[in-house]
Amino acid sequence: MCNIVLEKHLERIKAAYEASVFTKGIRPESEDNIKKFESNYESIPSEYRWLLLNLGGCYLAEPWIFDLKELEENYTFFEEAYEEYMSGCEHGKAFPVGGLGDGSIVFIDLESGKVRGYNNDYADLEEIAENFSELILDLVEQVESYS
């Protein structure tokens, strides 16, 4: 499965990864490891899956996008927070993709495709991006603006 939006910006995204001090040691994930996660939990949304397979986690700027190890470490926590806190917020089925430094959970609303954040300090949702590709390209633009 190919993500056309991110695929056509692959060289630009790679250049941002190379320019950022936060991405040292970040490597693409193997298909086998992704399949293992998916067999234990659920399917990873296609745009996020593409990023993991081609580049790995994304640490260009906030929000941080989990690598596969972090996703696995945080998935159960997310499910608990989803049940306990986020169930009162208006959104579709959600899949965690990262976080913010203040402890907010960043997720893809699987119904709308929007990337949103849940801040448990004020029990509300924050719109972060219209979709995952837009989020990644916004993070790349932040790195480019500093170069």
Side-chain angles (χ1 to χ4, degrees):
M1 187 180 322
C2 176
N3 184 289
I4 294 173
V5 173
L6 290 177
E7 182 71 35
K8 74 180 188 180
H9 295 281
L10 180 59
E11 292 308 312
R12 210 174 132 211
I13 299 168
K14 280 184 179 178
Y17 269 62
E18 290 171 12
S20 174
V21 297
F22 301 114
T23 55
K24 292 227 184 292
I26 299 302
R27 301 285 177 259
E29 305 288 350
S30 73
E31 179 72 30
D32 287 344
N33 287 342
I34 287 177
K35 284 181 178 178
K36 189 182 304 179
F37 173 89
E38 291 177 328
S39 70
N40 290 329
Y41 300 99
E42 69 177 288
S43 294
I44 297 171
S46 63
E47 294 171 309
Y48 182 28
R49 193 176 204 282
W50 181 93
L51 182 78
L52 292 172
L53 281 170
N54 287 278
L55 297 156
C58 184
Y59 306 94
L60 300 175
E62 284 194 343
W64 305 116
I65 306 302
F66 296 142
D67 63 19
L68 195 57
K69 181 178 184 231
E70 292 168 317
L71 176 61
E72 194 154 10
E73 290 169 352
N74 286 284
Y75 194 83
T76 303
F77 167 74
F78 175 78
E79 286 182 318
E80 291 167 2
Y82 184 84
E83 284 297 316
E84 189 171 338
Y85 304 110
M86 294 172 56
S87 59
C89 299
E90 197 170 312
H91 60 82
K93 184 166 173 37
F95 190 94
V97 295
L100 296 165
D102 64 2
S104 297
I105 297 169
V106 175
F107 65 93
I108 298 173
D109 181 319
L110 297 174
E111 288 178 17
S112 69
K114 292 182 180 193
V115 178
R116 304 169 94 184
Y118 175 78
N119 184 315
N120 54 7
D121 288 339
Y122 53 88
D124 202 4
L125 299 180
E126 169 189 0
E127 298 292 325
I128 294 176
E130 281 298 309
N131 56 58
F132 190 78
S133 293
E134 179 183 285
L135 170 64
I136 298 304
L137 295 175
D138 286 348
L139 296 173
V140 167
E141 283 180 25
Q142 288 181 49
V143 170
E144 291 171 341
S145 70
Y146 296 128
S147 301

